[in-house]
Amino acid sequence: MTKETTIIAQITPPGIGAVSVIRISGKLAFDILYKLINYKKELKHKQVFYTTIKDNDNVIDDVIILPFFSPNSYTGEDVIEISTHGNPLIVKKIIELAIKHGAKPAENGEFTQRAFLNGKLNLLEAEAIADIINSSNEIALNWARKQKSTFYTNKINELKEKITNAISLVELELDFSEEDLEFINRNQLTTLLKNVINTIDSYIKSFEYGSIIKNGYNIAIIGKPNVGKSSLLNAILKDDRAIVTNIPGTTRDIIKEQINLKGYLVNFIDTAGIRETDDLIEDIGVKKSFDILHKSDVVIYLNDISTGIDTSLLNKIKTYNNNVILVGNKCDLYNSDKNLYDITISAKNNINIDILLDIIYNNINNKNIYTENDLVITNIRHKLLLEEAKNYLLSSINTIELGFTGELISVDIRNAIDKLSEIIGVITTDDILNNIFSRFCIGK
Ligand code: GDP
C-alpha cells in the first residue's frame, strides 16, 4: 500500500549534538533532495555523498546524504537520510525547505507505520521497535529484541496453525454435509482445542513477569511517621532526592523513584505523603493508599525497632497485599529479636540495605521461570487478544459438547483465529494502527 505523501522528520533526538539526522520517505524523496541541493545527482542505493543544502543561493549546511531505494529501506519507500551539523536551527531550516518542496511533517510513528503497511514489519515487530527504543533496562531490552525476531511471530503462528488445521477438517465436513461425515472426531477436536487453550493460558500468565520486565516491579514503602521511610528511599537511591525530616507528615506527595536492580526496573513508592496523622489504619482506608498497596507487587512495611510492629496495621496491609517484607529500622540504635523481622536495617547508616535489595531481587527473579525458548508477553494488547481468543475457544468447546453443528463450532474457532491474527497484525483496523503508532515518537 503506497502512500501518496512524502514525509519528513528529524530521526535523532532534538537539541544540540554533533550530528542530527533528518529522514525523508516517499515518492518525492529523491525529487525533494534534488531541490534541496540545487542539482540532479545520480543516486546509488546506500551510497553516501557529501554535498551542500541551499535555499536559493544561501548555504544552509554541508551535509552527508544517504539514499535508500524502495523497497530496500526502513519504510519500504524511497528514503533519503540527511546528516547535518547538530544544530536545531539548521534542522529546522532544512525541514522547512523540504516542506516547501512538497514534503509533509511525519506524524508520531509514521515511518514505522509505513514500514508495517509496506510489509517490512509485522505489528509485533513494529511494537518491538517501540519497546527497543523505550527500554530502560537490559532485561526489557533483551525481551524486546526477542519480540522483534521471528520467534514471537512463530509462536503465535504455531497456535493459529494448530486450530486452522482442525477447523479446516470441520469445514470440509460442511461441504459433505449430506453424507454426514466426520473428518475429525469431536473428542479429538476438543482435546486439541484444550491443548491450545493451555498454551494460551501459559502465555497469558507470562504477562505477570512480562509486565515487570517492561513497566518495572512496584514496591510500596509503608510505615508510621518517623520510622525512616524517606531515609530508606534515600539509602536505596544513594542520593538525597526524598526529603528526610524528623517532623512527621512533611512529605506531602507520593514519591516514586526508579532504580535499575541488576537489570530490572524497580519502582519505589513512598506513601509517606498520603497521611497526615499517626492513624495509618484509618488512613489506609483512603482510596489512594489502598490503590497503591493493591497495585504494588510487594509492600515494604517499615518499623522502628524501638516501637515494634503494629500487628493490626500489618494485618490490614495484608488484606490489600499479602506480599509483605517486614523490615525493622534503626538497628544501629536498638537490638531486635531476629525472628521478628524479615530483615533489620539502618537506613541512616546504610546497614543491610544491600541485603534488602537482594531480597527484592530474589522476589522478582523468582517469577522468572522462563527460558530462552519460552514466550513472555510484555504487551497488554497481546494479553487482551489472547484472552479473547481463549474465550472463543472455550465457547467452541461448549458448542461441541452441546452437540451443535460444525457451522457453529467453526464460527467461534474462526473468531479465535482472527484474534490471534490481530496480535501479529494480519488483521487490523485504522483505529488499532493509530492507537499503536501514536505512542511512538515523531521521527520513528
Ligand atoms: P519517615 O517519616 O518515615 O519518612 O522518616 P524519615 O526518613 O524522615 O526519618 C525520621 C528520622 O529518623 C530522621 O531524623 C532520620 O534521620 C531518622 N532515622 C532514619 N533512619 C534511621 C536509622 O537507621 N538510624 C537512626 N539512628 N536514625 C534514623
Side-chain angles (χ1 to χ4, degrees), residues 178-413:
E178 271 134 52
E179 285 148 62
D180 209 14
L181 289 172
E182 220 179 62
F183 288 117
I184 178 162
N185 170 291
R186 292 300 179 254
N187 286 337
Q188 251 178 304
L189 181 60
T190 307
T191 309
L192 187 149
L193 293 174
K194 281 185 179 163
N195 281 338
V196 173
I197 289 174
N198 282 343
T199 310
I200 291 181
D201 265 338
S202 71
Y203 295 164
I204 293 172
K205 189 172 182 317
S206 75
F207 183 72
E208 192 193 334
Y209 179 63
S211 169
I212 292 171
I213 292 176
K214 191 161 164 180
N215 305 316
Y217 191 66
N218 294 322
I219 303 182
I221 303 178
I222 195 155
K224 295 196 174 183
N226 264 346
V227 294
K229 295 180 294 299
S230 311
S231 306
L232 173 60
L233 203 56
N234 285 344
I236 289 169
L237 296 168
K238 297 192 182 76
D239 67 24
D240 284 326
R241 260 182 289 176
I243 307 149
V244 181
T245 165
N246 53 8
I247 310 159
T250 31
T251 329
R252 290 268 180 265
D253 283 311
I254 294 162
I255 296 171
K256 186 174 168 181
E257 295 283 3
Q258 295 186 324
I259 62 162
N260 183 332
L261 184 58
K262 297 185 201 168
Y264 286 111
L265 178 68
V266 178
N267 305 311
F268 287 94
I269 303 134
D270 176 1
T271 57
I274 57 182
R275 50 101 190 98
E276 305 266 317
T277 69
D278 225 351
D279 198 351
L280 260 180
I281 299 192
E282 276 307 304
D283 195 65
I284 282 182
V286 177
K287 193 180 173 302
K288 215 172 182 182
S289 42
F290 164 82
D291 266 4
I292 291 172
L293 290 184
H294 189 65
K295 285 183 188 154
S296 296
D297 296 298
V298 66
V299 177
I300 291 182
Y301 175 31
L302 192 65
N303 298 268
D304 185 323
I305 295 171
S306 67
T307 45
I309 302 165
D310 179 340
T311 40
S312 52
L313 173 57
L314 178 62
N315 290 336
K316 186 91 178 175
I317 292 171
K318 283 187 172 168
T319 60
Y320 297 123
N321 191 324
N322 204 21
N323 196 7
V324 179
I325 305 176
L326 203 52
V327 182
N329 188 29
K330 311 194 184 178
C331 75
D332 55 322
L333 297 181
Y334 318 102
N335 285 325
S336 93
D337 177 352
K338 285 256 179 298
N339 300 322
L340 219 50
Y341 298 100
D342 293 317
I343 181 168
T344 56
I345 61 163
S346 168
K348 192 174 171 184
N349 298 298
N350 211 359
I351 301 170
N352 288 349
I353 303 298
D354 49 346
I355 300 178
L356 176 61
L357 288 175
D358 281 346
I359 294 176
I360 294 168
Y361 175 79
N362 290 335
N363 238 313
I364 305 174
N365 213 36
N366 283 343
K367 296 187 186 295
N368 182 10
I369 49 170
Y370 303 98
T371 69
E372 272 296 289
N373 300 320
D374 295 315
L375 179 59
V376 174
I377 304 291
T378 59
N379 188 317
I380 184 88
R381 185 183 77 86
H382 308 166
K383 182 191 172 228
L384 294 175
L385 286 167
L386 285 168
E387 281 169 349
E388 286 187 72
K390 174 187 162 181
N391 287 338
Y392 279 122
L393 293 179
L394 286 173
S395 159
S396 71
I397 291 176
N398 196 27
T399 313
I400 295 168
E401 281 167 358
L402 290 171
F404 284 124
T405 62
E407 259 154 341
L408 285 174
I409 302 167
S410 131
V411 171
D412 278 332
I413 299 184

Side-chain angles (χ1 to χ4, degrees), residues 58-73:
N58 294 330
V59 172
I60 298 181
D61 197 17
D62 303 319
V63 297
I64 304 275
I65 305 290
L66 173 58
F68 296 88
F69 289 14
S70 168
N72 298 317
S73 69

Side-chain angles (χ1 to χ4, degrees), residues 28-207:
L28 295 178
F30 297 164
D31 286 341
I32 291 171
L33 171 73
Y34 302 144
K35 287 178 184 156
L36 290 175
I37 61 179
N38 270 343
Y39 63 98
K40 189 154 183 182
K41 151 117 189 157
E42 195 190 330
L43 303 174
K44 296 210 173 85
H45 180 60
K46 279 193 189 168
Q47 210 168 87
V48 293
F49 64 97
Y50 178 77
T51 187
T52 305
I53 291 188
K54 291 182 189 152
D55 185 3
N56 294 317
D57 287 334
N58 294 330
V59 172
I60 298 181
D61 197 17
D62 303 319
V63 297
I64 304 275
I65 305 290
L66 173 58
F68 296 88
F69 289 14
S70 168
N72 298 317
S73 69
Y74 180 69
T75 57
E77 302 174 326
D78 283 343
V79 166
I80 292 291
E81 287 182 6
I82 307 171
S83 302
T84 71
H85 290 100
N87 178 338
L89 259 179
I90 295 174
V91 172
K92 183 167 174 273
K93 277 193 172 179
I94 295 175
I95 290 181
E96 278 171 3
L97 194 58
I99 289 173
K100 217 162 82 183
H101 295 316
K104 298 255 174 319
E107 311 260 343
N108 291 30
E110 198 173 356
F111 291 118
T112 310
Q113 183 164 9
R114 287 186 177 202
F116 167 72
L117 293 171
N118 289 324
K120 304 289 292 186
L121 305 161
N122 68 31
L123 213 47
L124 276 176
E125 292 163 335
E127 287 170 317
I129 288 177
D131 287 345
I132 286 173
I133 294 170
N134 293 322
S135 296
S136 58
N137 57 82
E138 299 83 348
I139 294 170
L141 188 57
N142 284 344
W143 281 101
R145 286 210 165 283
K146 201 162 166 186
Q147 182 178 334
K148 175 141 188 311
S149 71
T150 50
F151 170 83
Y152 201 145
T153 308
N154 289 346
K155 289 273 186 194
I156 301 296
N157 275 335
E158 272 167 29
L159 288 178
K160 272 178 66 180
E161 257 162 49
K162 276 190 191 150
I163 34 188
T164 307
N165 289 342
I167 195 62
S168 32
L169 291 175
V170 174
E171 287 174 354
L172 200 60
E173 291 169 10
L174 300 177
D175 294 339
F176 294 88
S177 54
E178 271 134 52
E179 285 148 62
D180 209 14
L181 289 172
E182 220 179 62
F183 288 117
I184 178 162
N185 170 291
R186 292 300 179 254
N187 286 337
Q188 251 178 304
L189 181 60
T190 307
T191 309
L192 187 149
L193 293 174
K194 281 185 179 163
N195 281 338
V196 173
I197 289 174
N198 282 343
T199 310
I200 291 181
D201 265 338
S202 71
Y203 295 164
I204 293 172
K205 189 172 182 317
S206 75
F207 183 72

